[in-house]
Amino acid sequence: MIKALLFIGGLCASISRAVAQTAGQWGHLSTSPVVSAGKSGVTGDPQDASNVTFDYIVVGGGLTGLALASRLSEDASTTVLVIEAGDDNRKDSRVYDVTKSGQFYGSNLDWSWPVDSGRTTDGGKTLGGGSSINGAFWTRGAAAQYDAWSNLLTSDEQILGWNWNNLYTYMKKAEHYHPPTESNKKLGADGVTSWHGTEGPVHASFPQAMVDGPQHPAFVAAIHNLTNIPHCPDLNGGDPNCVAFVPSSINPDDSFHRSSSATSYLSPVENTRLNWLTLVNSTVSKLTWKSDGSNTVVGVEFVSSTNSSTMYRANVGKEVILAAGSINTPAILQRSGIGDAALLSSLGIQTVLNVTTVGKNLQEQSLVRYAIGATGFTRNGPQWDDLLAFPNLSQLFGSNATEIATKITSNLDSWADSQKGNALSKDALKTIFQSQADVIINEKVPVLEIIYANVFPGAHAPVFWGLLPFSRGSVKISTVNPLTKPTVNNNFFNVSFDAELQSQGGRLLRKLFRTPPLANLSTSEFMPGISSVPDSSDGGSVDEWTRWIKSSFSSNSHALGTCSMMRKELGGVVDGHLRVYGAKNLRITDASVMPTQISGHMMSTLYGIAEKLADMIKLGL
């Protein structure tokens, strides 16, 4: 890198004392003396961080937050504070046992954000965030999708390496891959070890006991026979357009327990990194600013779940990095005076930076389950299916794919116009849509994900979703109260093509289970059922499938894009350094910076983003 071009100087020097600011409407402000950071480990006592100055404050002890904090604290002279709203649940079986992860939904571990259409978006409210409660699927998107991100930046920032080749290096840096065992291979698992990292902290492995039986090879053969999608040994090398078994974030050296950011980045050094403090059960209210108008953050205010009437403050000497996720990060920015000035003023919040796109560009997927009776085999093994298929546009729509591609390109203008309220402008969004269309049509990236599952006795029960929705939503606070969840409007299916694509997914699945050899293992469909969606030679009508999907879907809880990394004229909230536009020492590293969805689960990508940002900060970039 040309360091002279990349180095961003002018970050404020270490601040020994924050400028006193009132807590406004939110409780008593604790004013114990300011001291240097001294506590370490994990604590639930807000006094351990109150009025203490840290070099870096990371807001959110989830996937990216703990990864970043761990890397920054490798320098013993650097002090780091992580503030996490949830508790430390590493010893909770709902967390460490992936087979029990379904017990997380609606529990104390779940943010359970109410969203539009009467749905709920789930998120990990616990140390490790999503990495502590998710389905543990270890996949990556298509190389072309990461390269497209780079093209959304300014020309001088494109050399920063937000592309596949560079980010892939950081994904592998986070990873400790375990190749499939011989017993795994006998049941269909495979892998390409060179496509993985083997020395990172996060373990990726196949389960000790995989599901046995004829259903998995039948699924692979049938979807290939129907769509011509290839069966590949591994989909983590930049081309996920295939059907394959995928590893999970589990650690075979720890009884195949979950390998989360908490167990991977924090646990090994928790008692030795005396310069790293993690505060749990504490919710950040807002950032505090230097009073000279320089847009420099001097600290964060937070409340504790044990004492919500008292506002505490921790001070920062170098930078604050938000890692609170796609819903909480924009809410924190808005409460701190960064966002649409019209929204902020309506809530009595003084605008610090009028960045109107904070909370906009929200992209969420819609999950649907299909179910059909199974016969000819008895399930043998744990409820753990890791067989995934990622068809592209041609494989999904078959002979109609050219017509569908034309529909996409001819409707970008009208779609951008319909979604412009959740973007900077129609023209900016059309540019983003064009990038999205290019990777779909020209790069042939996957547009649908199917996870084969046997979760019901005597049934095949796969789930599926459209990967790359064009509908755009928003996150907006409705009060300055940090304990009130923001209003989340995903705008599910607001662009009708999103529903059409998912309906085609339903038709594909119906045809799949009557395609040999899977047809020999299948009986009668009961979700949605022929009475709900009448059958035809094409698997039923798009209109009938759309009607049923809109009544049956759930949020996939893969929200992203609300603080996108893009050039400012496209509506970006952060630049290629992940620094918030206009702020001196404020960055973001979570799914909110991802400008578009990818054809894969986000976990490996997010680890890569955190690892990359850690190196950038260490290099002074």
Side-chain angles (χ1 to χ4, degrees), residues 241-320:
N241 177 214
C242 60
V243 55
F245 285 90
V246 301
S248 302
S249 53
I250 52 176
N251 184 357
D253 299 328
D254 182 28
S255 303
F256 291 88
H257 288 164
R258 182 189 295 276
S259 185
S260 67
S261 65
T263 61
S264 302
Y265 284 94
L266 174 60
S267 294
V269 299
E270 180 178 354
N271 297 320
T272 57
R273 290 274 175 88
L274 303 183
N275 54 326
W276 176 8
L277 177 66
T278 298
L279 175 64
V280 296
N281 294 318
S282 295
T283 300
V284 168
S285 172
K286 65 178 181 179
L287 311 173
T288 58
W289 300 93
K290 197 170 184 178
S291 60
D292 61 359
S294 63
N295 298 334
T296 301
V297 182
V298 293
V300 299
E301 292 183 358
F302 61 94
V303 294
S304 171
S305 62
T306 61
N307 182 11
S308 60
S309 64
T310 298
M311 185 70 70
Y312 300 91
R313 184 174 65 225
N315 306 315
V316 67
K318 292 183 178 179
E319 297 190 56
V320 170

Side-chain angles (χ1 to χ4, degrees), residues 195-523:
W195 291 355
H196 297 269
T198 57
E199 299 180 356
V202 185
H203 292 263
S205 171
F206 292 90
Q208 183 177 24
M210 290 175 58
V211 177
D212 198 355
Q215 66 275 26
H216 284 162
F219 178 87
V220 172
I223 198 167
H224 172 72
N225 292 341
L226 181 62
T227 68
N228 205 35
I229 189 172
H231 176 206
C232 65
D234 197 327
L235 50 72
N236 279 286
D239 182 11
N241 177 214
C242 60
V243 55
F245 285 90
V246 301
S248 302
S249 53
I250 52 176
N251 184 357
D253 299 328
D254 182 28
S255 303
F256 291 88
H257 288 164
R258 182 189 295 276
S259 185
S260 67
S261 65
T263 61
S264 302
Y265 284 94
L266 174 60
S267 294
V269 299
E270 180 178 354
N271 297 320
T272 57
R273 290 274 175 88
L274 303 183
N275 54 326
W276 176 8
L277 177 66
T278 298
L279 175 64
V280 296
N281 294 318
S282 295
T283 300
V284 168
S285 172
K286 65 178 181 179
L287 311 173
T288 58
W289 300 93
K290 197 170 184 178
S291 60
D292 61 359
S294 63
N295 298 334
T296 301
V297 182
V298 293
V300 299
E301 292 183 358
F302 61 94
V303 294
S304 171
S305 62
T306 61
N307 182 11
S308 60
S309 64
T310 298
M311 185 70 70
Y312 300 91
R313 184 174 65 225
N315 306 315
V316 67
K318 292 183 178 179
E319 297 190 56
V320 170
I321 304 100
L322 299 182
S326 296
I327 294 177
N328 285 333
T329 284
I332 293 169
L333 287 177
Q334 289 166 357
R335 290 195 299 268
S336 305
I338 301 179
D340 189 330
L343 171 65
L344 304 185
S345 63
S346 72
L347 298 172
I349 300 171
Q350 182 177 355
T351 299
V352 177
L353 291 167
N354 183 23
V355 184
T356 61
T357 48
V358 168
K360 296 183 179 181
N361 195 42
L362 172 63
Q363 298 154 64
E364 178 61 283
Q365 301 159 337
S366 50
L367 179 147
V368 176
R369 185 176 294 280
Y370 175 87
I372 187 170
T375 188
F377 67 94
T378 300
R379 183 188 178 101
N380 179 21
Q383 292 188 9
W384 195 326
D385 292 282
D386 45 13
L387 178 59
L388 278 59
F390 287 89
N392 63 24
L393 199 71
S394 294
Q395 293 153 350
L396 177 59
F397 285 94
S399 60
N400 295 322
T402 300
E403 177 186 344
I404 296 299
T406 300
K407 174 184 283 191
I408 292 172
T409 56
S410 62
N411 279 283
L412 293 181
D413 187 79
S414 62
W415 293 348
D417 189 55
S418 72
Q419 305 301 297
K420 64 186 178 184
N422 290 316
L424 179 67
S425 66
K426 172 187 171 181
D427 289 344
L429 188 55
K430 186 177 179 181
T431 298
I432 300 165
F433 279 177
Q434 185 63 63
S435 174
Q436 186 170 328
D438 285 344
V439 296
I440 291 172
I441 297 168
N442 300 325
E443 301 295 339
K444 299 179 173 56
V445 305
V447 295
L448 187 81
E449 178 171 350
I450 303 168
I451 301 178
Y452 177 81
N454 268 153
V455 294
F456 302 142
H460 309 280
V463 293
F464 66 101
W465 59 85
L467 288 161
L468 310 173
F470 284 91
S471 301
R472 294 298 193 266
S474 65
V475 175
K476 297 179 182 179
I477 58 171
S478 59
T479 173
V480 297
N481 185 339
L483 301 181
T484 299
K485 295 173 182 176
T487 300
V488 181
N489 179 16
N490 293 287
N491 253 349
F492 291 113
F493 307 119
N494 196 258
V495 172
S496 61
F497 179 72
D498 295 343
E500 180 180 352
L501 186 144
Q502 189 140 5
S503 296
Q504 185 65 18
R507 300 169 85 196
L508 176 69
L509 279 167
R510 178 174 278 177
K511 290 185 286 185
L512 175 64
F513 283 90
R514 61 192 187 205
T515 299
L518 196 54
N520 302 327
L521 303 176
S522 306
T523 58

Side-chain angles (χ1 to χ4, degrees), residues 79-277:
T79 55
V80 180
L81 170 67
V82 174
I83 304 177
E84 166 56 36
D87 204 349
D88 180 2
N89 304 103
R90 282 174 288 177
K91 296 181 179 180
D92 189 325
S93 63
R94 296 173 298 171
V95 169
Y96 67 74
D97 185 348
V98 177
T99 65
K100 295 182 179 180
S101 62
Q103 299 176 19
F104 137 82
Y105 294 104
S107 73
N108 61 305
L109 304 175
D110 189 357
W111 278 100
S112 295
W113 292 285
V115 300
D116 51 312
S117 300
R119 272 42 177 195
T120 299
T121 288
D122 305 290
K125 190 178 182 182
T126 182
L127 204 60
S131 72
S132 290
I133 51 79
N134 62 21
F137 295 104
W138 193 261
T139 75
R140 312 192 224 276
Q145 293 172 312
Y146 302 99
D147 292 341
W149 288 359
S150 184
N151 292 332
L152 297 176
L153 295 170
T154 60
S155 57
D156 62 327
E157 287 192 332
Q158 289 177 10
I159 59 174
L160 289 173
W162 290 105
N163 52 45
W164 167 255
N165 285 337
N166 188 268
L167 198 52
Y168 183 32
T169 300
Y170 284 103
M171 293 185 221
K172 291 193 288 185
K173 181 179 180 180
E175 182 181 15
H176 186 150
Y177 175 69
H178 301 262
T181 63
E182 288 304 314
S183 66
N184 292 149
K185 290 180 179 179
K186 288 178 182 178
L187 296 177
D190 204 345
V192 180
T193 301
S194 62
W195 291 355
H196 297 269
T198 57
E199 299 180 356
V202 185
H203 292 263
S205 171
F206 292 90
Q208 183 177 24
M210 290 175 58
V211 177
D212 198 355
Q215 66 275 26
H216 284 162
F219 178 87
V220 172
I223 198 167
H224 172 72
N225 292 341
L226 181 62
T227 68
N228 205 35
I229 189 172
H231 176 206
C232 65
D234 197 327
L235 50 72
N236 279 286
D239 182 11
N241 177 214
C242 60
V243 55
F245 285 90
V246 301
S248 302
S249 53
I250 52 176
N251 184 357
D253 299 328
D254 182 28
S255 303
F256 291 88
H257 288 164
R258 182 189 295 276
S259 185
S260 67
S261 65
T263 61
S264 302
Y265 284 94
L266 174 60
S267 294
V269 299
E270 180 178 354
N271 297 320
T272 57
R273 290 274 175 88
L274 303 183
N275 54 326
W276 176 8
L277 177 66

